[in-house]
Amino acid sequence: MKKNIAIIMGGYSSEVGISLKSGNVVYKHLNKEKYNPYRVHILKDKWVLVDDEENEHPINKHDFSAEVNGTNISFDAVFNAIHGTPGENGVILAYFDLIGLKHTSAPFYQMALTFNKRDTLSVVKEYGIPAATSVYLNKGDKINTNTIIEKVGLPCFVKPNGAGSSFGISKVYTQEELIPAIEKAYEEDSEILIESFLDGTEVSVGVIQYKGETKVLPITEIVSDNDFFDYKAKYEGESQEITPARLTEAQEKSVNDIAKRVYEILNMSGFSRSEYILVNDIPHFLEMNTVPGLTEASILPQQANHAGISLTELFGNAIEMALKN
């Protein structure tokens, strides 16, 4: 019997368009001989199953089923392709847990933790994982730019705590730029993170559960044409993504070891893609994405390809891991 798989995509954040692209790539590449995949749009105003004629069929939120042409469709598992809320921060996954529906992501608590950049940093720093010096702010906090700059230095990065795809991030060079950067970050989130600038080689590394084992994928070196790896660098071709990264054998081992350790420290499962900056050959952890981009051009699929894993295998493995949990 073929398994019915709901590929959830869309979401409630600025990343809705990117998520729809990722979800459609999963739909295209999933093995149709093994699975019956269905595209499900999770949007603020509607949850709908979208058929091949682009007709929309409402999702019954009581049991996450849909009626299509008189037939009730229920699902064996959910493939999570929602970047941002409610997919990447665990909110919808808690709902799936409540109704007993398996999914391809880590448990909802791990997803919520890793979506919160500052909480993730607080955990990994306790385990001795190197990271940038940082300051945390909540909306409404009194801001003393002198104190912030004394701690993190210049230049520094101002980031929303729970936004992805580089939305709301600024690189700040002068004290005068700090307040506008904070205001920009607050447009995306009520909690923000201000981090010292790490000068070194930036790498991105995918770690996944593959055939029951933790697998570190080939490392990608990020060379942005812009001042940092911003939205245009990520999605509009204004960067070079070099896989495998141009690292020495020792550097590569160091990144692999720390990436696997962070994945296991955070008790992860499913997909992850983490960013590191090598400073004096030591990888410094920046953040973890647990629903990374899944288009053909995205970093994690590129890494899987270099590891000899096709998109069909990559996506099918995620479903098989979910069904076994």
Side-chain angles (χ1 to χ4, degrees):
M1 285 284 288
K2 288 202 276 187
K3 302 286 189 186
N4 287 350
I5 307 298
I7 303 163
I8 59 170
M9 59 189 90
Y12 306 163
S13 75
S14 308
E15 298 180 87
V16 59
I18 301 155
S19 171
L20 291 170
K21 283 183 184 174
S22 288
N24 280 313
V25 169
V26 176
Y27 180 73
K28 175 182 163 187
H29 286 278
L30 214 51
N31 184 346
K32 308 291 193 295
E33 290 176 13
K34 207 168 176 185
Y35 309 109
N36 295 316
Y38 294 90
R39 295 177 298 159
V40 176
H41 290 189
I42 304 291
L43 303 168
K44 279 181 181 172
D45 58 341
K46 59 187 175 184
W47 290 18
V48 290
L49 184 156
V50 181
D51 65 25
D52 286 343
E53 284 73 49
E54 302 302 318
N55 298 311
E56 296 183 351
H57 308 272
I59 290 287
N60 178 346
K61 293 182 183 178
H62 176 67
D63 60 0
F64 204 72
S65 64
E67 193 170 300
V68 180
N69 304 326
T71 303
N72 191 64
I73 307 288
S74 59
F75 302 102
D76 297 290
V78 173
F79 191 108
N80 181 16
I82 296 178
H83 311 307
T85 185
E88 199 163 3
N89 63 356
V91 170
I92 203 167
L93 307 177
Y95 157 74
F96 291 139
D97 281 0
L98 284 172
I99 64 169
L101 190 50
K102 295 175 182 287
H103 57 78
T104 55
S105 288
F108 72 89
Y109 174 75
Q110 273 68 34
M111 299 292 282
L113 172 65
T114 50
F115 192 70
N116 188 308
K117 294 182 179 76
R118 66 191 200 183
D119 288 359
T120 308
L121 286 165
S122 297
V123 171
V124 300
K125 282 178 180 178
E126 284 296 309
Y127 285 83
I129 303 297
T133 303
S134 52
V135 169
Y136 306 148
L137 289 177
N138 295 323
K139 203 164 195 173
D141 283 355
K142 192 176 176 187
I143 299 166
N144 185 321
T145 55
N146 288 325
T147 306
I148 292 168
I149 289 165
E150 272 173 31
K151 185 167 183 189
V152 300
L154 288 171
C156 64
F157 282 101
V158 180
K159 304 176 178 181
N161 193 36
S165 298
S166 298
F167 286 111
I169 295 185
S170 303
K171 189 174 181 183
V172 170
Y173 288 91
T174 66
Q175 190 161 343
E176 292 69 37
E177 292 169 356
L178 190 55
I179 295 294
I182 288 169
E183 287 168 353
K184 180 182 173 183
Y186 276 144
E187 287 172 16
E188 293 287 335
D189 197 355
S190 62
E191 300 176 342
I192 66 170
L193 188 61
I194 303 170
E195 290 183 327
S196 59
F197 169 64
L198 296 172
D199 194 7
T201 303
E202 182 167 355
V203 295
S204 185
V205 55
V207 184
I208 60 173
Q209 286 294 117
Y210 190 69
K211 298 182 177 176
E213 302 290 327
T214 301
K215 184 175 181 63
V216 182
L217 296 172
I219 301 162
T220 299
E221 181 182 347
I222 307 294
V223 184
S224 177
D225 299 343
N226 303 334
D227 206 14
F228 64 97
F229 195 43
D230 60 6
Y231 181 90
K232 288 186 174 181
K234 277 183 181 170
Y235 299 109
E236 296 176 10
E238 296 181 12
S239 68
Q240 295 175 65
E241 296 163 4
I242 302 160
T243 310
R246 299 168 297 183
L247 301 178
T248 65
E249 205 171 301
Q251 288 172 329
E252 186 180 334
K253 183 180 186 311
S254 184
V255 173
N256 280 339
D257 289 349
I258 211 161
K260 185 177 183 184
R261 187 156 173 254
V262 166
Y263 188 89
E264 290 173 347
I265 284 167
L266 294 168
N267 214 8
M268 283 300 300
S269 54
F271 292 105
S272 78
R273 197 197 73 230
S274 296
E275 322 304 325
Y276 295 86
I277 291 183
L278 284 152
V279 182
N280 300 323
D281 293 342
I282 297 169
H284 286 61
F285 175 78
L286 294 181
E287 64 180 48
M288 179 181 282
N289 302 284
T290 54
V291 186
L294 296 171
T295 69
E296 289 94 336
S298 297
I299 293 172
L300 190 135
Q302 285 179 43
Q303 295 174 343
N305 182 47
H306 277 275
I309 302 168
S310 69
L311 290 183
T312 298
E313 289 173 301
L314 183 70
F315 302 149
N317 172 76
I319 289 166
E320 291 308 310
M321 291 294 98
L323 290 169
K324 281 178 185 169
N325 284 341

